[in-house]
Amino acid sequence: MTRHQLQILSLVLVGVVSFGLPLVLRSPTYLHILILLYLYAYLTSSWNLVGGFAGVLPLGHAAFVGIGAYTSTILSLQYGLSPWIGMIVGGILAVLVGILIGLPTFKMRGAYFALATIAFGEGIRVMVENIDYIGPLKLNGPRGLEIPPLKTGLTHFMFAGKEPYYYIILVMLILVITITYLISQSKLGYYLNAGGEEPEAAMALGVNVVRCKLIALAMSSFLTALAGTFWAQFTLFIHPKSVISLDMSFEIAFIALIGGRGSIAGPVLGALLLRPVSDFSRIYFGDKLPGLHLIIFGVVLILVMLYQPRGLQEPLTRAYNRLLDRLTGARAEQALGRSRA
Amino acid sequence: MKILEVNNLSKDFGGLRAVDNLSLAMEQGEILGLIGPNGAGKSTAFNCIAGVYPPTEGTIRFCEERINNRKPWDLCKQGLARTFQIVKPFSSKTVLYNVMVGSFANTDRKSTARDKALDVLDFLHLADKRDLPAGSMTIADRKRLEIGRALATEPKLILLDEVMAGLRPTEVDEMVDIIRKVRDSGISVFLIEHIMRAIMALSDRLAVIHFGKKIAEGAPKDVAADENVIKAYLGDEYVVS
Ligand SMILES: Nc1ncnc2c1ncn2[C@@H]1O[C@H](COP(=O)(O)OP(=O)(O)O)[C@@H](O)[C@H]1O
Ligand SMILES: [Mg+2]
């Protein structure tokens, strides 16, 4: 088998396992944990388009989750629109807000950019908490919105069991990973990386750095908002503290930094590692030490930054490549031996 | 045709006039050298031409078009490339990746950009280093990479800011050959350099600035013999044979 075939084989294996899991894993609790894991892998991959490739550190992405969640929920509760349509509308709205935020902030560097995005994210949360109505649209302030589980089925984006949600978020995750891969191989990917690493050099080589970052942010906010609709339909209850929380914005950044910013596998690996920490520390220590998971994230982040500054994807990718070498090398030697004999 | 025309260019930083009423013109296919003591305003003049700083006064024409407030990325696409005195490689990326960023200036296709980048790396004898991370290279190779990225944008005019600083004598000779080859391929070269041996050998014409003002211009031999230049700049630091 060639190296390429082995790579495809391992991808297919991962695919088969992730699609087959619900058939084996019948516990709703574990399915729930997996759905959240994929959701965070999806959110972090979307974040990575701008936070990883473009070399800035946005810390307000929960605002886009909130825009997606509120838009589709309001449209379906008040106007009977399918959440799938609301999902797209929410995505478009998030793009507009993203560009409005990006225009002034992309001229800032480092910590200034990060702080500005925190301010925007928190600003949007506080606004939603204090607004009951925007014209005819009911936001319901801090009480949030409940989605009554009246009609189930694909068109209503509502299901009795967890399996359909599992498959929807899995497909969304595969889509965002594919998009990330395609961008990384395109001119835009090269330009984003260049502009993130050395903006002046990039500009001298023909890169309009701010424009590229805005394109990346537009895509990122669109994709992030889609996850908001998913979240709303999955939990059937949204309020500002759940879908526009700073906690969520931070967790996304933690996952990205620990898994490996700017890589394709990083967000998924980060979510695989950190989501269980989040879930189990909430299950076992939720009432005694409610912030424990964030402290564990902090410690893990320090360790990773000390020993693997480019995230855990780097040693893992190296190990994977070595395994492929071993497998293909062994086979090549075997073939050689046979031809000699 | 005049490839570059700078008329009465001035650039102020707060109270400091870094470039003072500078006028220069370059013919297509020419190598123009620019020398002057540290802090004379050479890099600032380059930055104005390349669109990094808007000029305080004066006009800049490139290919007979006024380019005063144009952005660096637009100028690059029109054929004006430059290198930085302090090299700025995309350190975590490979040499090939670095050069491909430049070659994307004229194409949206990755395969075309890759072919162009490989040609440039061949031209600079860097082909065997194409998969190394740019951050791991020697200073001589980094200077070469800096030129490679600029060449990959397919410029008409290239501004080279001290691409020989920090090089050993043999490396300087190689760089002189490279710059000649660049010019022979039809690209006009405007270069700032401190290494007199190199700039005397390369330049068709030489301009000298001091405190932002041009104090001499002409054939390298005449400029080196100019009394003002010797007084203001060469002093007894450099002996021109
Ligand atoms: N961005 C800047 N802001 C303020 N002063 C600057 C800036 N760039 C250069 N200068 C000043 O302008 C003068 C000319 O600098 P420079 O053009 O780098 O000189 P050279 O390249 O000839 O050594 C120096 O006094 C320098 O300190
Ligand atoms: Mg200089």
Side-chain angles (χ1 to χ4, degrees):
Chain A
M1 219 184 291
T2 67
R3 198 185 173 81
H4 188 62
Q5 283 169 325
L6 271 174
Q7 277 171 328
I8 294 195
L9 183 71
S10 46
L11 265 184
V12 169
L13 258 169
V14 170
V16 167
V17 168
S18 37
F19 273 95
L21 262 180
L23 304 176
V24 193
L25 201 72
R26 312 238 37 132
S27 144
T29 312
Y30 283 115
L31 222 47
H32 188 96
I33 288 177
L34 276 178
I35 290 171
L36 288 186
L37 195 159
Y38 292 172
L39 177 69
Y40 270 87
Y42 174 92
L43 282 171
T44 310
S45 298
S46 310
W47 180 92
N48 193 39
L49 287 178
V50 50
F53 289 163
V56 290
L57 195 71
L59 292 175
H61 258 51
F64 303 127
V65 178
I67 290 171
Y70 271 93
T71 306
S72 63
T73 304
I74 289 171
L75 288 180
S76 98
L77 287 182
Q78 291 187 235
Y79 299 95
L81 231 60
S82 161
W84 292 108
I85 298 173
M87 199 179 198
I88 305 299
V89 179
I92 294 169
L93 213 63
V95 170
L96 296 179
V97 173
I99 289 175
L100 277 180
I101 295 177
L103 275 174
T105 49
F106 275 140
K107 299 195 175 87
M108 304 188 216
R109 288 224 188 160
Y112 300 103
F113 175 84
L115 281 172
T117 55
I118 293 181
F120 276 111
E122 281 296 276
I124 289 177
R125 178 180 63 79
V126 172
M127 267 157 60
V128 176
E129 272 179 348
N130 288 287
I131 293 174
D132 281 340
Y133 285 92
I134 302 179
L137 306 175
K138 184 181 174 193
L139 268 65
N140 213 21
R143 293 170 303 285
L145 297 168
E146 213 169 317
I147 304 172
L150 300 176
K151 292 176 265 180
T152 54
L154 191 62
T155 48
H156 305 295
F157 204 143
M158 198 178 292
F159 311 92
K162 300 226 188 246
E163 286 85 357
Y165 292 108
Y166 178 95
Y167 285 112
I168 289 175
I169 193 66
L170 178 59
V171 170
M172 284 170 70
L173 176 60
I174 292 172
L175 275 177
V176 77
I177 291 174
T178 311
I179 291 174
T180 307
Y181 172 75
L182 291 176
I183 289 176
S184 77
Q185 297 299 310
S186 73
K187 177 170 175 171
L188 179 62
Y190 278 71
Y191 274 19
L192 283 170
N193 273 309
E197 212 168 323
E198 279 293 347
E200 283 167 53
M203 288 185 227
L205 294 172
V207 182
N208 185 339
V209 175
V210 169
R211 187 165 154 264
C212 288
K213 286 183 179 174
L214 279 174
I215 294 173
L217 180 61
M219 291 194 290
S220 176
S221 35
F222 183 85
L223 292 167
T224 306
L226 305 189
T229 298
F230 178 86
W231 175 278
Q233 296 304 119
F234 181 56
T235 59
L236 299 182
F237 173 50
I238 57 169
H239 59 106
K241 284 227 164 67
S242 75
V243 288
I244 323 180
S245 73
L246 197 56
D247 202 19
M248 184 192 271
S249 297
F250 281 166
E251 187 162 345
I252 293 171
F254 271 120
I255 291 175
L257 290 170
I258 290 169
R261 261 169 109 179
S263 70
I264 294 159
V268 179
L269 293 171
L272 270 173
L273 179 78
L274 294 188
R275 275 313 298 173
V277 174
S278 259
D279 289 319
F280 288 109
S281 79
R282 273 186 198 129
I283 292 170
Y284 295 112
F285 302 100
D287 36 356
K288 277 171 267 162
L289 293 166
L292 183 66
H293 67 288
L294 283 176
I295 295 188
I296 299 177
F297 288 0
V299 173
V300 176
L301 181 66
I302 291 170
L303 290 176
V304 169
M305 288 301 117
L306 274 178
Y307 298 105
Q308 293 293 340
R310 298 176 68 187
L312 291 176
Q313 54 81 28
E314 205 177 52
L316 288 171
T317 311
R318 229 182 297 131
Y320 172 71
N321 281 329
R322 222 174 299 134
L323 182 69
L324 286 187
D325 283 345
R326 180 110 22 107
L327 288 174
T328 49
R331 277 162 207 281
E333 268 163 32
Q334 262 177 21
L336 212 67
R338 219 176 297 128
S339 67
R340 262 198 220 114
Chain B
M1 187 191 71
K2 292 256 188 299
I3 188 102
L4 181 71
E5 251 187 292
V6 175
N7 285 314
N8 311 101
L9 175 70
S10 296
K11 176 68 194 169
D12 293 347
F13 291 117
L16 175 84
R17 180 146 282 206
V19 176
D20 193 356
N21 203 22
L22 177 69
S23 296
L24 285 168
M26 255 183 98
E27 292 295 328
Q28 194 172 13
E30 194 177 22
I31 299 183
L32 175 64
L34 182 62
I35 59 172
N38 271 327
K42 305 180 295 295
S43 295
T44 303
F46 266 24
N47 279 325
C48 289
I49 296 168
V52 176
Y53 302 138
T56 308
E57 276 164 33
T59 57
I60 303 166
R61 288 170 179 278
F62 173 59
C63 293
E64 298 177 343
E65 223 184 300
R66 191 184 141 105
I67 56 160
N68 267 40
N69 288 307
R70 236 167 259 182
K71 298 293 178 197
W73 50 88
D74 291 329
L75 289 172
C76 168
K77 297 212 157 131
Q78 283 172 261
L80 200 165
R82 60 88 53 93
T83 66
F84 290 89
Q85 180 175 352
I86 297 162
V87 293
K88 299 178 190 293
F90 310 122
S91 302
S92 74
K93 299 287 182 257
T94 64
V95 170
L96 179 62
Y97 195 110
N98 270 263
V99 180
M100 280 175 71
V101 172
S103 47
F104 271 122
N106 295 304
T107 177
D108 294 336
R109 291 181 47 129
K110 193 182 163 197
S111 58
T112 316
R114 193 184 144 86
D115 291 344
K116 172 75 199 168
L118 288 173
D119 284 349
V120 170
L121 288 175
D122 262 339
F123 179 83
L124 293 173
H125 307 296
L126 275 177
D128 53 329
K129 299 196 169 120
R130 67 185 194 197
D131 293 325
L132 290 181
S136 73
M137 294 202 302
T138 64
I139 184 69
D141 283 343
R142 273 188 243 192
K143 294 269 183 187
R144 225 179 260 205
L145 175 62
E146 192 83 6
I147 297 179
R149 291 193 306 196
L151 288 179
T153 67
E154 299 184 354
K156 299 187 188 101
L157 168 65
I158 189 168
L159 311 179
L160 301 176
D161 196 346
E162 298 201 24
V163 288
M164 301 185 211
L167 302 196
R168 281 178 278 149
T170 52
E171 293 166 342
V172 169
D173 292 339
E174 283 165 19
M175 195 59 97
V176 168
D177 284 342
I178 286 172
I179 294 171
R180 281 218 180 91
K181 259 170 52 185
V182 169
R183 188 262 291 276
D184 292 344
S185 73
I187 300 169
S188 313
V189 179
F190 188 5
L191 88 155
I192 296 174
E193 204 45 78
H194 272 310
I195 299 178
M196 293 307 288
R197 171 169 72 84
I199 201 146
M200 297 298 282
L202 274 172
S203 309
D204 298 318
R205 274 183 317 121
L206 194 57
V208 188
I209 61 174
H210 189 37
F211 294 124
K213 282 196 178 71
K214 184 169 79 179
I215 57 169
E217 186 182 0
K221 263 209 201 95
D222 302 338
V223 169
D226 188 295
E227 216 173 293
N228 279 334
V229 175
I230 295 171
K231 246 196 295 187
Y233 170 57
L234 296 177
D236 32 41
E237 226 179 303
Y238 296 93
V239 181
V240 183
S241 52

